[in-house]
Amino acid sequence: MANFYMKFCPNDHVVYAEGGMPTQKYCTTCGEELISKCPSCNSDIPNYFESRKYFTNNTPVNFPRKNDFCIQCGQPYPWAKQFISGLDHSGIWELMHPTITEICKSRFESGHYADSVEAAFKEINAIVKSAHYKKTGKEEDGKSLMFKAFSSENPSILLSKLDMVTGRNIQEGYMYLFAGSIQAIRNPNAHNNLKISKELSIHYLFIASLLFKMLDKGIIQEKNITT
């Protein structure tokens, strides 16, 4: 195994060297000045990796995936900012589920990023809550609601056929995704009045958009089902 170190180009290029930091200052692809520290907080960007080398040219066999966000301050690195900015200009709302656009767009565009995210996940919770009550007559909420509504044993909302292992895995996997999203994203925003960045809110809204698409696909169960 060989040791490699990287410097990073704001335009998403990487320069690497074996055994120590690259000495060059500018990107050989686009000419931009290379960076090795976060522009927001000046902490080091993770830049070390180990890899076997090809015998023919001594280049690394495997490259690690670059971080898009600083692990110290949470701000996006320049290449991630460019990607997110591109999404803004190309119309992220065209990629979102229509319900996200309807209830979140005005909040988001007025700068209320946390509020837009909270609204999305509150709506998801409300839809699942209604479906679960329709089947069971019981009031549930939050994470426990998601575990019961999407259970692979007797779900209130069926996302996949349960007569095969693959179908049960899909049902259970989305159960954890719904429950985890409510616990990790909705609850902290709803209870602690947190402020989140524009970039992070976009990621959260795409998660919510996926969950809405799965709810569109789901079949609400009106009585117990057998597998």
Side-chain angles (χ1 to χ4, degrees):
M1 298 289 283
N3 303 322
F4 292 92
Y5 296 83
M6 299 177 287
K7 282 185 177 179
F8 305 93
C9 169
N11 293 325
D12 207 20
H13 306 129
V14 175
V15 173
Y16 65 90
E18 183 180 354
M21 286 292 288
T23 57
Q24 67 194 78
K25 188 175 180 180
Y26 297 98
C27 177
T28 54
T29 301
C30 68
E32 283 284 342
E33 186 172 0
L34 299 171
I35 63 173
S36 58
K37 293 182 179 292
C38 172
S40 299
C41 70
N42 206 40
S43 63
D44 290 333
I45 301 173
N47 63 357
Y48 170 79
F49 69 100
E50 296 179 352
S51 175
R52 291 179 290 112
K53 297 187 296 183
Y54 288 109
F55 291 113
T56 53
N57 56 15
N58 286 325
T59 58
V61 174
N62 300 305
F63 277 93
R65 185 182 183 278
K66 298 194 308 296
N67 290 349
D68 288 330
F69 293 85
C70 177
I71 60 175
Q72 298 299 326
C73 70
Q75 292 301 307
Y77 291 131
W79 49 89
K81 279 186 176 179
Q82 289 186 9
F83 173 74
I84 293 168
S85 176
L87 283 179
D88 287 343
H89 293 300
S90 64
I92 63 169
W93 304 108
E94 295 178 6
L95 304 176
M96 296 283 186
H97 187 278
T99 304
I100 295 287
T101 303
E102 179 183 351
I103 66 177
C104 302
K105 184 178 179 180
S106 62
R107 291 176 169 91
F108 180 91
E109 292 186 342
S110 62
H112 298 99
Y113 305 127
D115 186 43
S116 70
V117 171
E118 183 182 345
F121 285 94
K122 278 187 173 180
E123 182 67 14
I124 289 170
N125 188 80
I127 292 171
V128 177
K129 190 172 188 175
S130 175
H132 185 66
Y133 182 81
K134 183 177 181 180
K135 178 178 184 292
T136 66
K138 296 180 180 179
E139 290 277 358
E140 300 282 352
D141 190 68
K143 180 180 70 171
S144 63
L145 165 65
M146 302 302 157
F147 277 129
K148 292 177 181 178
F150 295 101
S151 168
S152 60
E153 296 299 323
N154 188 20
S156 300
I157 301 175
L158 184 67
L159 300 178
S160 185
K161 293 182 179 180
L162 302 180
D163 55 351
M164 299 289 288
V165 172
T166 298
R168 292 195 295 273
N169 286 342
I170 291 171
Q171 182 76 29
E172 187 172 315
Y174 275 104
M175 176 189 73
Y176 284 114
L177 187 56
F178 273 91
S181 298
I182 292 296
Q183 183 177 18
I185 301 174
R186 186 205 70 164
N187 288 354
N189 281 289
H191 298 157
N192 297 308
N193 196 28
L194 298 179
K195 292 183 179 180
I196 60 176
S197 68
K198 178 181 181 180
E199 291 81 7
L200 186 57
S201 68
I202 291 173
H203 287 287
Y204 284 158
L205 290 176
F206 271 117
I207 293 173
S209 181
L210 170 63
L211 299 185
F212 274 114
K213 288 181 182 295
M214 294 309 299
L215 288 174
D216 286 346
K217 178 183 176 182
I219 301 173
I220 297 176
Q221 304 299 307
E222 298 189 12
K223 59 182 179 179
N224 290 343
I225 63 173
T226 58
T227 60

